Amino acid sequence: MQAQSEETKPIADESASSVTDAADLPRAPDLPPPELVEAASAEEEDPVAPPEPAAAEADPSPPASEVPLAAGADPADPPSAEVSEATDEPVDPAASVAPAPQESPELSDAPRSEQGSDDPAPARAQSGVEAALPAPAPPPAPAVPPAPSGPNAIPGLPDLAGPEEDLLDDIPDFEDPEMLPDIPSDAGAVVRAGARCKGTVVAVRDSGVIVAFGTKVEGSVPLAEFQQADGTVSVEPGQEIEVLVERMGAPGEYAALSYKRIRELEVWNGIQQAHAHNLPIKGTVAGPVKGGLRVDIGVPAFMPGSQIDIRPIRKMDSWVGSEVEVAVIECDRRRGNVVVSRSSLLRARQRELRAETLGRLAVGEPATGEVTTITSFGVFVDLGGIEGMIKYADLSYGRVRKAEDHVQAGQELTARVMRIDESKEKIVLSLKAMQPDPWLTIGERFAVGQRVRGRVTSVKDYGAFVELEPGVEGLIHFSEIDWSRRAKHPTKTFTPNADADAVVLAIDPDQRRISLSTKRLTPDPWDTHAASLEVGQVVKGVVRKIEHYGLFVEIAPGIEGLVHVSDLSWDARPTQPREVAQKGQEISTVILQADLENRKLSLGVKQLQPDAWDAFLIENSVGDILPGTVRRIAKFGAFVELATGVEGLCHSSQLPRDRSAIKPGQQHQFEILELNERTRRIGLRYL
């Protein structure tokens, strides 16, 4: 280029009178061939490039710095002949007077196209040599720091290195990493917001815990994240901890770090893993809330009341402070919402235990379990994943009034399997079947006529039940309570839970029945008094019962007789029993008839007095005229009392036509017309 300058000759300016040396003028730019410019413009045109200044729009040719080399051209090769020849072209007269542009040091490295100028001449005065030179390479893009990987990676967060990734997707309240200040090149490994780093505690201050985390920039963790419930700090200088970078501070400032969020990230990762793979996690019940319990699993979680246990829970306060194992059924990390369930784990384990239990149980074999529930109809026993039921009748061979007398809730017991229904998953158990049936050997311990002693278990209208031994009860029928035919009600003789003596009357092992008697404890009074009972004997007794047909009189314990209404008085007209005696009154009677075989006795009261008919028949005969008193008047006649206990009938045909003269209570004269000793009838005629 220097040789070429020396050979340059003065060129006359047609528009001026002075002559200027070409070496002193600014060199015009070397322009490439037009076809090359058009091809380069077509390839490098940027649809979103900003518009050029007005001077650039006047010249359609692009700046030389933006014109690419021809295909296959080497930037190191010297300019071609065509370019060298372009330097001999005449120079624009306007360019001869334009001062050479002074480039700023700051803009020396920038492409010429970016150094805009108001004068379009320099843009058109590019020399062909400069156009042929290769365009300066664009400055290298700033290096992107590597994404945290390995121990620095945060499980559950997106890749922090990817420019297209949203680094703050799962880190709330962090600054945008793109807005962070640049870290000096001598600060060591580049750490950005959201990174997980290991650091060493430098100092513990009231304002926070200072941590050096592998860079020349230290960070601060709030002191509250290390304080325990009692106010002590759980970290000391020199201790290595892991922290999360929340925000990188400006030069001279501490980076904002968090120790608590690392723990929360680990907890959330564990919760998400448990939710995804149905894994159980442990937690502590913090307290009751509306509808359930609050459980601490590293983060607050909610456990509905229906998910606490398989059975309904009534007292939730009793669960506070207890450690439980739960399954995560709902997990929303963004909202911090976690729902857990304990019953789902119990049901899953119950299904496994149920299949195992059904596989080892067999009818007739014993099974061991724990009493879970006592109801009004039976007892439920947990055999392991499945429950069996013991009916009240199968708790004991004896009478069962309350199940609590035989079993208690939470008690472990062994019962015999009586029936298994796998389709309905029901198992019937029997506790009494673990003992021998006492009725199978009842004949070895009891015999008819044996005197026994037992406990009264219940009293009914028809008798009393007495337990002779566990599982063996006998009945004392009300007819076997006392020898009296008018036995008292069983409740007046027996009291529940009291001891009673009896005699065995009959044993029926097939029907599981034993008949007992208490009256047999004493001899039969009919056998004792049979020899002393004679017809015509006068005996005393107590009126036990009064009926319309007579009186029942007890002349000895267990021996009663009947005084018929006809035997109450010698009077011809019937006498009411209540007119003779009252219940409980002691009276004298005469034995009229004794049937020892059927245990029947007929008694009489009027027989204690002489028969008035015998005396009247001796003293009177037909045709005698006697005074008589009218007692009552009927349609067919009038009844007249002739003597005490002796009455006669005056027929209406023998009465006067005017009956008004005959009134009850009046005394008149009557003639005996008929006297029948057998029927004891007397016919009279009014005189």
Side-chain angles (χ1 to χ4, degrees):
M1 296 293 290
Q2 186 177 359
Q4 187 177 3
S5 300
E6 293 177 354
E7 298 175 358
T8 305
K9 305 299 181 180
I11 302 174
D13 188 355
E14 298 178 357
S15 62
S17 60
S18 62
V19 177
T20 305
D21 190 357
D24 297 333
L25 295 176
R27 186 176 299 276
D30 297 332
L31 300 176
E35 59 274 9
L36 184 60
V37 173
E38 293 176 0
S41 299
E43 294 180 3
E44 296 297 324
E45 183 178 0
D46 187 358
V48 295
E52 297 294 335
E57 294 178 357
D59 190 355
S61 61
S65 60
E66 297 182 0
V67 178
L69 295 177
D74 189 355
D77 295 340
S80 62
E82 296 179 358
V83 177
S84 299
E85 294 176 0
T87 59
D88 296 334
E89 294 180 1
V91 180
D92 190 354
S96 62
V97 295
Q102 299 296 327
E103 297 181 353
S104 174
E106 293 81 359
L107 303 176
S108 60
D109 296 336
R112 294 183 179 273
S113 60
E114 298 178 2
Q115 302 174 14
S117 175
D118 297 335
D119 188 1
R124 296 191 300 268
Q126 298 290 336
S127 65
V129 176
E130 293 178 355
L133 292 178
V144 179
S149 61
N152 291 334
I154 302 177
L157 291 181
D159 187 3
L160 299 178
E164 70 281 5
E165 300 278 331
D166 185 2
L167 303 182
L168 308 181
D169 191 25
D170 290 327
I171 307 178
D173 301 331
F174 286 175
E175 291 185 357
D176 188 352
E178 299 297 337
M179 302 299 294
L180 296 176
D182 295 334
I183 299 176
S185 60
D186 59 350
V190 177
V191 180
R192 305 183 71 177
R196 187 173 181 174
C197 305
K198 289 185 178 180
T200 304
V201 177
V202 177
V204 178
R205 302 173 182 172
D206 293 340
S207 59
V209 177
I210 309 303
V211 179
F213 54 97
T215 67
K216 292 186 178 181
V217 179
E218 294 179 343
S220 175
V221 182
L223 185 64
E225 296 189 9
F226 296 99
Q227 286 183 332
Q228 305 295 326
D230 55 357
T232 59
V233 180
S234 62
V235 70
E236 57 185 10
Q239 182 177 345
E240 184 177 349
I241 61 174
E242 190 174 13
V243 293
L244 181 71
V245 179
E246 291 186 337
R247 186 181 71 255
M248 293 299 297
E253 295 182 356
Y254 289 119
L257 307 179
S258 175
Y259 176 77
K260 178 181 178 182
R261 296 203 179 200
I262 287 290
R263 309 280 81 78
E264 292 180 353
L265 289 174
E266 294 176 352
V267 170
W268 275 107
N269 289 338
I271 293 174
Q272 289 178 330
Q273 290 292 328
H275 184 226
H277 302 287
N278 295 325
L279 300 177
I281 57 176
K282 290 185 178 180
T284 304
V285 178
V289 294
K290 183 179 180 180
L293 296 174
R294 185 175 67 256
V295 183
D296 183 8
I297 58 174
V299 297
F302 173 67
M303 181 162 60
S306 60
Q307 301 295 323
I308 299 176
D309 203 343
I310 297 177
R311 298 179 182 85
I313 299 298
R314 303 185 184 277
K315 297 181 180 180
M316 295 188 182
D317 294 339
S318 61
W319 287 79
V320 177
S322 58
E323 186 175 348
V324 294
E325 196 173 32
V326 296
V328 180
I329 57 178
E330 290 185 19
C331 178
D332 190 342
R333 183 170 179 174
R334 291 184 177 275
R335 297 183 179 180
N337 184 25
V338 182
V339 181
V340 297
S341 171
R342 178 175 175 267
S343 62
S344 60
L345 290 180
L346 297 179
R347 289 189 179 93
R349 293 171 184 171
Q350 188 181 47
R351 286 191 294 268
E352 297 176 0
L353 288 175
R354 181 180 302 156
E356 179 183 350
T357 302
L358 289 175
R360 61 180 172 82
L361 292 181
V363 176
E365 297 296 327
T368 302
E370 180 181 346
V371 177
T372 57
T373 308
I374 298 177
T375 65
S376 59
F377 53 86
V379 176
F380 288 90
V381 181
D382 185 7
L383 302 176
I386 190 171
E387 288 186 340
M389 190 187 75
I390 305 176
K391 297 180 180 180
Y392 268 42
D394 291 326
L395 287 173
S396 174
Y397 285 108
R399 185 183 296 273
V400 178
R401 293 192 302 272
K402 294 192 304 181
E404 288 79 5
D405 296 339
H406 302 271
V407 296
Q408 298 294 329
Q411 174 186 352
E412 183 175 337
L413 55 81
T414 301
R416 194 171 301 280
V417 179
M418 306 303 294
R419 182 167 57 89
I420 299 177
D421 189 347
E422 295 187 5
S423 61
K424 297 182 180 180
E425 295 183 347
K426 291 184 178 180
I427 299 177
V428 178
L429 304 175
S430 175
L431 184 60
K432 72 179 184 182
M434 298 299 297
Q435 304 294 331
D437 189 351
W439 286 96
L440 298 179
T441 57
I442 191 69
E444 300 176 2
R445 299 183 300 278
F446 300 98
V448 176
Q450 179 182 352
R451 182 167 180 164
V452 294
R453 186 178 182 86
R455 179 178 63 90
V456 178
T457 57
S458 63
V459 181
K460 306 295 182 181
D461 292 339
Y462 51 85
F465 289 93
V466 179
E467 184 182 40
L468 304 180
E469 64 180 24
V472 177
E473 286 187 355
L475 173 64
I476 302 176
H477 195 264
F478 75 94
S479 62
E480 294 294 333
I481 295 177
D482 199 337
W483 285 109
S484 176
R485 294 185 63 182
R486 306 300 169 188
K488 300 177 181 179
H489 194 273
T491 55
K492 297 182 179 180
T493 306
F494 300 101
T495 303
N497 297 322
D499 293 336
D501 294 328
V503 175
V504 179
L505 297 181
I507 300 176
D508 189 351
D510 296 334
Q511 299 295 327
R512 296 176 178 265
R513 292 179 180 176
I514 293 182
S515 297
L516 303 176
S517 174
T518 54
K519 74 179 184 180
R520 309 279 178 170
L521 296 173
T522 59
D524 188 352
W526 284 93
D527 297 337
T528 304
H529 298 83
S532 61
L533 297 178
E534 297 179 357
V535 176
Q537 180 183 358
V538 178
V539 294
K540 290 185 178 181
V542 179
V543 178
R544 296 299 183 187
K545 190 176 182 180
I546 300 176
E547 299 290 348
H548 66 281
Y549 52 85
L551 303 174
F552 287 93
V553 180
E554 184 181 38
I555 62 175
I559 299 178
E560 285 185 358
L562 174 63
V563 179
H564 194 266
V565 64
S566 60
D567 294 319
L568 292 176
S569 174
W570 289 110
D571 194 350
R573 64 184 181 86
T575 303
Q576 295 297 326
R578 296 184 182 279
E579 297 177 359
V580 178
Q582 301 296 322
K583 185 177 181 179
Q585 179 182 349
E586 185 179 10
I587 61 175
S588 297
T589 60
V590 177
I591 299 177
L592 302 180
Q593 184 180 3
D595 187 353
L596 301 180
E597 182 177 358
N598 295 319
R599 287 174 166 71
K600 290 183 178 181
L601 194 64
S602 296
L603 304 175
V605 174
K606 71 179 183 179
Q607 286 77 9
L608 296 174
Q609 302 294 331
D611 189 355
W613 278 91
D614 295 338
F616 185 83
L617 292 175
I618 294 172
E619 297 176 359
N620 300 282
S621 59
V622 176
D624 293 344
I625 298 175
L626 300 174
T629 304
V630 178
R631 293 299 180 186
R632 57 186 181 281
I633 297 175
K635 291 183 179 181
F636 51 85
F639 290 93
V640 180
E641 182 181 16
L642 301 176
T644 304
V646 178
E647 284 187 353
L649 173 63
C650 182
H651 195 266
S652 57
S653 60
Q654 303 298 327
L655 290 174
R657 292 182 180 275
D658 185 9
R659 292 190 179 185
S660 60
I662 301 175
K663 295 182 179 179
Q666 294 179 352
Q667 188 174 7
H668 300 278
Q669 294 293 324
F670 295 92
E671 179 185 0
I672 299 176
L673 298 179
E674 180 183 0
L675 185 59
N676 191 335
E677 181 179 358
R678 184 178 64 83
T679 59
R680 295 192 174 193
R681 289 182 178 179
I682 300 175
L684 303 175
R685 182 172 63 87
Y686 178 79
L687 296 177

